[in-house]
Amino acid sequence: MSHVTDLLHSNGDSRNEPRHPEKAHRPDQPVARKPEWIRVKAPGSPQWAVTRKIVREHRLVTVCEEAGCPNIGECWEKKHATFMIMGDTCTRACAFCNVKTGLPRALDPAEPSHIAGAIKKLGLAHAVVTSVDRDDLGDGGAGHFAKVIAAIRAASPNTTIEVLTPDFLRKQGALETVVAAKPDVFNHNLETVASKYLAVRPGARYFHSIRLLQRVKELDPKIFTKSGMMLGLGEERHEVLQMMDDLRTADVDFLTMGQYLQPTKKHHPVVRFVPPDEFASFAEVALAKGFLLVSASPLTRSSHHAGEDFARLKARRMVLREHL
C-alpha cells in the first residue's frame, strides 16, 4: 500500500499553525482504502538522506514534502527534488491540495541564489521549479520566477529548466515576464475537468488556464508546454477527452495524468480509484490527439521523471520536424 510520510521540518512558528484553517469547519470525508496497484517505496535510503540534507542546508521548500508526494523516496534517491519558491503558504484553498494556506510572508531576496546553489550541488541536468499561488503580489510572483531562472542559468549554464507556475489570474504582464526568462518547459496544471472547478479549484478559471498555455506558445513557440490532471475526482470520460481537445487547441505538447490521493479527511474525497489499464487507454487516446508525449499512470505526477521526459520531448519534436 502507499505510505506517504510527513517529512516537514519543524523550524519556525508557522509550522505549528494549522495547515488548512479554511477547511476546519468542513465535515470529515472518509479516506478510502488504497488499491493494491498504488505502491511506493518508503523514503529513507542513504541517497535520499543526502538530498534531504542539501535541501535543509539551503533552507529550501520542496513540493515533494509540502504536497505529500508519494514518489519522494524514488525521486530523492536520484537527487531529483522539485523546488517550491515564494514560501510554503498559498493564497488559494483548493480542495485537493495539501500545501499550507493562509497569508504568506514577504519574498526572500536570497532565495534565487539558494535555489541555484542547491541545484549546482545536486548536479541536476534538469531542474523543476514550482511555487505557491501568490495572489497578494502585484505580479503574482512572476518577477521572482524570472530571478530564479536567471540565477540557475548563471550557476549551472547546462542545466535545463522547467517551471510549473500558478495561473497568474488578473496579473497583467506576469506571464510575459516568465516567458521572457526563457525556461525550457512551461508547465501549468489544469488539475481537473471544467465541471469540477467550482468544487475543486474555486479560485481558478478553467478557460483562463487554457488561454495561459496557448499564450506561451504565441510568445515563444520554442518553449515546450505541459499540463497535468488528476483522475478520481468524479470526472466523466467524455469530460477528460474534452479537456485533451482543449489542451491540444492550445498546442500543449505534454500531458500528465495521475490518480488523485486524498491528503486528509478535510479534503475532497476520492470518488474512484482509476485502474492502470484505464490510464493506459487514456494515454493512447491522448497520443492520437497529437500530444508529443503523454505520461499516464496512478502514480504519475507533474515532475516525476521530468528530466527523462524532457529528453523524450526534444527527440519527438526533432522526429516530427523531419517528417514535415
Side-chain angles (χ1 to χ4, degrees):
M1 303 305 291
S2 174
H3 299 282
V4 181
T5 306
D6 184 1
L7 301 170
L8 297 178
H9 49 296
S10 56
N11 56 345
D13 294 337
S14 65
R15 294 289 178 175
N16 299 319
E17 297 170 359
R19 289 180 65 80
H20 306 287
E22 82 292 342
K23 295 180 175 67
H25 68 283
R26 298 180 184 176
D28 287 354
Q29 300 286 350
V31 179
R33 182 178 176 83
K34 298 177 181 67
E36 61 180 11
W37 61 76
I38 298 181
R39 299 177 181 273
V40 294
K41 181 180 178 181
S45 70
Q47 201 59 45
W48 169 88
V50 170
T51 302
R52 184 175 185 269
K53 184 173 184 288
I54 292 172
V55 168
R56 297 291 181 268
E57 286 176 347
H58 289 79
R59 305 191 302 277
L60 301 176
V61 179
T62 68
V63 75
C64 320
E65 296 173 289
E66 297 294 330
C69 181
N71 301 314
I72 188 171
E74 175 192 348
C75 292
W76 282 29
E77 188 170 324
K78 299 176 182 177
K79 291 188 175 181
H80 294 169
T82 298
F83 302 102
M84 191 167 78
I85 61 174
M86 297 190 281
D88 64 354
T89 305
C90 186
T91 55
R92 302 279 175 92
C94 296
F96 68 89
C97 186
N98 198 39
V99 173
K100 180 182 173 183
T101 56
L103 182 63
R105 297 179 179 179
L107 295 178
D108 178 5
E111 185 173 52
S113 63
H114 289 320
I115 294 282
I119 287 170
K120 185 174 183 179
K121 196 166 186 177
L122 288 166
L124 295 183
H126 185 79
V128 184
V129 179
T130 187
S131 78
V132 291
D133 274 280
R134 291 297 302 259
D135 295 310
D136 58 311
L137 301 175
D139 68 348
H144 200 73
F145 261 106
K147 290 175 183 177
V148 170
I149 293 170
I152 297 170
R153 294 271 188 238
S156 305
N158 295 323
T159 297
T160 51
I161 302 170
E162 179 172 329
V163 294
L164 170 54
T165 77
D167 59 12
F168 299 125
L169 187 63
R170 292 182 286 272
K171 305 294 182 183
Q172 190 170 1
L175 176 65
E176 287 77 4
T177 296
V178 178
V179 172
K182 295 193 176 300
D184 298 280
V185 181
F186 187 103
N187 185 6
H188 172 66
N189 288 335
L190 263 67
E191 306 293 7
T192 189
V193 298
S195 69
K196 297 299 175 186
Y197 260 55
L198 187 59
V200 176
R201 300 190 71 199
R205 301 293 180 268
Y206 178 85
F207 287 106
H208 168 80
S209 289
I210 292 287
R211 177 58 183 150
L212 184 87
L213 289 160
Q214 184 180 47
R215 181 67 177 146
V216 173
K217 283 292 192 184
E218 292 173 356
L219 292 166
D220 190 342
K222 294 181 181 178
I223 295 177
F224 288 102
T225 50
K226 178 177 175 180
S227 190
M229 73 171 300
M230 302 171 290
L231 299 183
L233 286 160
E235 68 287 334
E236 299 290 340
R237 179 178 175 83
H238 71 88
E239 293 180 301
V240 176
L241 301 183
Q242 182 61 59
M243 181 175 165
M244 291 179 187
D245 288 338
D246 293 340
L247 287 169
R248 285 304 301 136
T249 298
D251 201 21
V252 170
D253 299 302
F254 184 9
L255 173 65
T256 61
M257 306 175 73
Q259 170 69 52
Y260 167 62
L261 298 176
Q262 183 180 351
T264 75
K265 292 180 180 180
K266 298 296 184 181
H267 286 77
H268 195 291
V270 174
V271 176
R272 184 170 75 100
F273 286 105
V274 180
D277 60 347
E278 194 168 333
F279 275 100
S281 174
F282 275 129
E284 289 183 9
V285 173
L287 286 171
K289 287 180 179 291
F291 289 98
L292 284 179
L293 192 64
V294 180
S295 179
S297 74
L299 288 173
T300 291
R301 296 298 183 266
S302 289
S303 56
H304 196 208
H305 301 151
E308 296 94 325
D309 287 338
F310 178 66
R312 293 164 66 196
L313 270 175
K314 289 194 297 182
R316 292 191 178 185
R317 176 182 278 179
M318 289 181 64
V319 170
L320 183 63
R321 287 176 174 173
E322 288 173 359
H323 286 80
L324 291 179

